[in-house]
Amino acid sequence: MKNKIDLHANPFYLTDEDIRWVEETKEKMSTEEKVGQLFCPIAPGPDKEALQEVLNTLHPGGMMFRALPGKEIQGAQRYLQEKSPVPLLLAANLEAGGNGVMTEGTYFGYPMEMAATGDEIHAYHLGKVSAAEGNATGCNWAFSPIVDRNVNYLNPITNVRTYGDDTDTVIAMSKAFTKGVQEEGMAVAIKHFPGDGMDYRDQHLHPTINSCSAEEWDNTYGEIYRQLIAAGAESVMVGHILQPAWQQKINPDLALEDLLPATLSPELLQGLLREHLGFNGLIITDATPMGGFTNAMSRWESVPRAIAAGCDMFLFNRNMAEDFQFMLDGLKNGLLTEKRLDEAVTRILALKAHLKLHLRQQNNTLVPEKSALQAVLGRNEFTEWAEDAADKAATLVKDTQNVLPLNPATQKRLLLYVFGDEWGYFGNGSAKLFKSLLEDAGFTVDVFDKEAMRFAYIDIKRADIVKKYDAVIYYANIEPASNKSTLRMEWNWPMASNMPWFIHDLPVIGVATGSPYLLQDMPALKTLINGYTAAPAMLKAIVNKLVGKSEFVGKSPVDPFCGMWQTKF
């Protein structure tokens, strides 16, 4: 299989001078330094001694940060760039706003919220906010947009992180997001090739499967990647996902038991992504401690084989020193060739040159001044954009009991049930803010204490509930996250004292700010609002719409009825 690199072409567009820097930098590197460029470990935090240990152990080509306070992450990234002879690619999961890189960054909203507006301007704004705030910390590489399709409503990891299940919507929104990011001078990584959202399982735990036929894949996932590649996506993040139809189409001799996840599959990396789709940019693995990667083969073999198969960078480590040695050993025993190593390093350096990191290093502008943080966080337009998106996205899935809008003058007393948010902790305590906003709107709100009332199903009378409350709200912030097997309502043991057994006696309203598939567990629910995101702007929008201050205009980007007839009534 051919793997020719054209540094003048999409997505690098390098000048002759840029290419000279790439070649000269590569020529000066020892084998160990080239191997180091392959690695993109997760940052250990802001501690400089810990960061220096990573630099000493791996000599990495890049690093990814989880969210930290802005000053801490900016200081850490400044230290890394000052101590690295070759400038680093510094990445973050900028999926829902600047909060993906710094804790005080804007929580703008998940991609599905943008899709629910029906207008790609909101995805563009999401990209602009994410990259502008990321830039202020020194970040230069966005691990986004997510271009998966959430076809299977049981999938626990894609869900609201996607732009829905429609191919055209995913393309339009992802291209708009990409434009916003690139206008801020940052690179994107479209993910998770060959496409998540078909399986009902999570690749963080074991390899999963994209079960499309070759033709179906080409018309859906393939078209998404084809158009994003044409639009200039600089890199592709590859998932630990099998695509049996294409793997066996490219290599008919492969038996099912011999199929490997895309991160280790030359058929998918070189045959499908490089040759069929014509991708010329950088390929990076998804996180390699994930079960989808570690289940495939022993790590001494999988580390060099990921690069040999066609990946250019290796994301995260189990043990840095051991993984580094595995890569060196792969070179010595022939699992990885010098030619493939040089190809990978060329693309890594080319991405750095594309971002002008070599010139910014000379000008000492790789990381902005401290004042950049305050400036970007003080931009009122970011808040306005987030509020506009929320207002356009909030979706009334159904209201067959015709209970909306609520009137706090005549329906003042509310009982609030909370799911997934872990009251005041997980999800940034969004339920606490939701309760406060309801009270500001004129309601009195009691929160169901699921622990104190665990056995209360024995004693609670229907008459008491009807007498005490005017309406009931089920607030569910069940967000996708790695290593979850399912995104479902979890009822109190032993007899589900928190289930809506009084649904025919009072208005019961579901408000979902995470997974939009609440009806699979509450099919009798008569009223459901989907917000897709537990961000403050969305919570404000939902409360305004609950009391009739604004209309619901959002359209669901997925089937919230989960294909079940009984959920529609």
Side-chain angles (χ1 to χ4, degrees):
M1 295 177 181
K2 298 178 181 179
N3 196 8
K4 186 178 180 180
I5 309 170
D6 185 349
L7 298 184
H8 287 295
N10 180 14
F12 299 123
Y13 300 111
L14 299 190
T15 65
D16 290 341
E17 187 175 345
D18 293 332
I19 294 173
R20 190 176 304 113
W21 176 82
V22 169
E23 295 300 331
E24 290 177 355
T25 302
K26 184 174 60 173
E27 287 174 8
K28 293 176 183 177
M29 288 180 175
S30 66
T31 297
E32 287 75 14
E33 288 170 332
K34 288 181 181 179
V35 167
Q37 286 292 303
L38 304 177
F39 288 98
C40 184
I42 189 166
D47 181 73
K48 292 181 179 178
E49 289 187 8
L51 292 171
Q52 188 62 53
E53 183 179 355
V54 177
L55 295 178
N56 293 343
T57 303
L58 285 181
H59 322 290
M63 200 174 296
M64 180 196 149
F65 278 83
R66 301 291 189 190
L68 295 168
K71 289 182 179 179
E72 290 186 12
I73 196 165
Q74 190 192 64
Q77 298 196 130
R78 179 175 290 108
Y79 180 83
L80 288 169
Q81 295 290 27
E82 289 173 349
K83 297 297 182 179
S84 299
V86 179
L88 291 167
L89 294 166
L90 295 175
N93 279 334
L94 296 171
E95 298 177 0
N99 64 332
V101 70
M102 57 175 162
T103 52
E104 64 268 50
T106 302
Y107 184 11
F108 196 98
Y110 278 116
M112 194 173 287
E113 177 190 328
M114 308 309 119
T117 69
D119 189 343
E120 55 262 35
I121 188 65
H122 301 291
Y124 170 75
H125 285 162
L126 174 58
K128 291 284 282 188
V129 171
S130 300
E133 294 185 350
N135 266 332
T137 71
C139 179
N140 51 48
W141 194 10
F143 283 169
S144 54
I146 295 171
V147 299
D148 299 316
R149 298 166 60 235
N150 201 68
V151 179
N152 191 331
Y153 69 87
L154 294 174
N155 188 295
I157 190 64
T158 51
N159 202 272
V160 292
R161 295 172 67 216
T162 74
Y163 290 107
D165 58 18
D166 179 70
T167 297
D168 291 338
T169 300
V170 174
I171 290 170
M173 294 288 168
S174 298
K175 287 171 74 172
F177 177 95
T178 296
K179 180 181 178 184
V181 170
Q182 291 176 334
E183 285 181 355
E184 295 295 323
M186 189 178 289
V188 299
I190 54 179
K191 60 185 185 183
H192 306 82
F193 182 84
D196 207 343
M198 296 288 294
D199 208 324
Y200 66 91
R201 301 167 300 170
D202 178 8
Q203 57 158 327
H204 288 78
L205 304 173
H206 39 69
T208 57
I209 297 174
N210 182 306
S211 55
C212 288
S213 68
E215 182 180 8
E216 180 188 2
W217 186 91
D218 216 27
N219 291 331
T220 54
Y221 289 95
E223 187 61 19
I224 292 168
Y225 277 93
R226 191 175 289 110
Q227 292 213 27
L228 268 293
I229 288 168
E234 293 93 348
S235 61
V236 171
M237 180 178 286
V238 178
H240 314 303
I241 302 167
L242 284 69
Q243 216 300 311
W246 266 104
Q247 286 173 284
Q248 293 186 317
K249 180 175 181 177
I250 291 171
N251 185 357
D253 294 332
L254 277 177
L256 286 176
E257 62 267 27
D258 296 326
L259 296 181
L260 293 170
T263 35
L264 293 163
S265 170
E267 291 81 16
L268 294 179
L269 295 170
Q270 298 179 45
L272 185 56
L273 184 52
R274 291 285 187 215
E275 292 191 6
H276 184 70
L277 295 178
F279 182 59
N280 184 49
L282 184 146
I283 299 175
I284 183 169
T285 71
D286 204 341
T288 61
M290 290 162 58
F293 187 81
T294 60
N295 287 178
M297 62 181 67
S298 177
R299 197 165 183 88
W300 72 265
E301 184 177 3
S302 63
V303 171
R305 278 203 183 277
I307 306 301
C311 294
D312 301 308
M313 289 196 84
F314 192 86
L315 184 61
F316 299 177
N317 305 98
R318 279 290 183 183
N319 179 277
M320 288 187 296
E322 187 178 53
D323 281 353
F324 188 84
Q325 189 60 50
F326 286 155
M327 200 72 78
L328 286 175
D329 291 344
L331 272 173
K332 293 175 184 177
N333 63 31
L335 284 176
L336 175 61
T337 65
E338 292 281 354
K339 180 182 178 182
R340 179 78 270 279
L341 172 62
D342 279 354
E343 288 171 349
V345 173
T346 297
R347 282 196 169 92
I348 294 164
L349 295 176
L351 180 55
K352 295 179 181 186
H354 166 79
L355 293 170
K356 305 302 179 185
L357 299 189
H358 58 309
L359 302 179
R360 292 168 60 188
Q361 185 182 52
Q362 295 173 15
N363 298 329
N364 196 29
T365 57
L366 282 168
V367 178
E369 297 297 324
K370 295 179 181 179
S371 59
L373 285 172
Q374 185 176 356
V376 75
L377 291 172
R379 291 179 63 173
N380 293 331
E381 63 183 332
F382 289 179
T383 301
E384 293 171 0
W385 287 350
E387 290 179 348
D388 186 41
D391 180 66
K392 301 295 194 308
T395 304
L396 182 60
V397 174
K398 68 172 183 176
D399 183 25
T400 57
Q401 60 186 335
N402 295 316
V403 70
L404 297 181
L406 292 178
N407 186 343
T410 58
Q411 297 166 299
K412 188 177 184 66
R413 304 165 302 171
L414 302 181
L415 176 60
L416 182 65
Y417 287 78
V418 177
F419 286 77
D421 200 64
E422 298 305 323
W423 187 258
Y425 176 69
F426 190 73
N428 298 314
S430 65
K432 201 169 187 177
L433 175 58
F434 184 64
K435 175 178 181 288
S436 177
L437 291 169
L438 287 170
E439 290 170 339
D440 290 344
F443 298 102
T444 61
V445 184
D446 289 342
V447 180
F448 181 83
D449 188 331
K450 66 179 182 180
E451 292 304 320
M453 304 296 286
R454 184 173 289 278
F455 295 95
Y457 66 89
I458 298 173
D459 300 319
I460 294 178
K461 293 181 179 179
R462 171 197 172 280
D464 292 338
I465 294 291
V466 172
K467 182 179 180 181
K468 190 173 183 179
Y469 298 107
D470 300 307
V472 179
I473 296 179
Y474 275 75
Y475 178 83
N477 180 34
I478 305 173
E479 294 184 310
S482 59
N483 309 315
K484 284 186 176 182
S485 294
T486 183
L487 297 181
R488 303 289 295 273
M489 304 285 281
E490 294 185 5
W491 308 104
N492 261 13
W493 182 90
M495 290 290 286
S497 60
N498 54 346
M499 71 176 178
W501 55 272
F502 39 76
I503 206 161
H504 296 286
D505 302 300
L506 281 173
V508 178
I509 301 162
V511 174
T513 56
S515 174
Y517 302 113
L518 206 63
L519 292 173
Q520 65 176 311
D521 292 314
M522 300 178 70
L525 190 66
K526 305 300 181 185
T527 303
L528 174 62
I529 297 165
N530 278 341
Y532 314 101
T533 298
M538 178 55 75
L539 300 183
K540 292 176 186 176
I542 289 173
V543 171
N544 282 338
K545 293 173 190 299
L546 272 171
V547 298
K549 286 186 177 180
S550 65
E551 298 293 323
F552 287 97
V553 295
K555 303 294 182 184
S556 181
V558 292
D559 175 16
F561 302 106
C562 309
M564 304 176 187
W565 59 265
Q566 69 180 128
T567 58
K568 296 180 179 180
F569 304 119

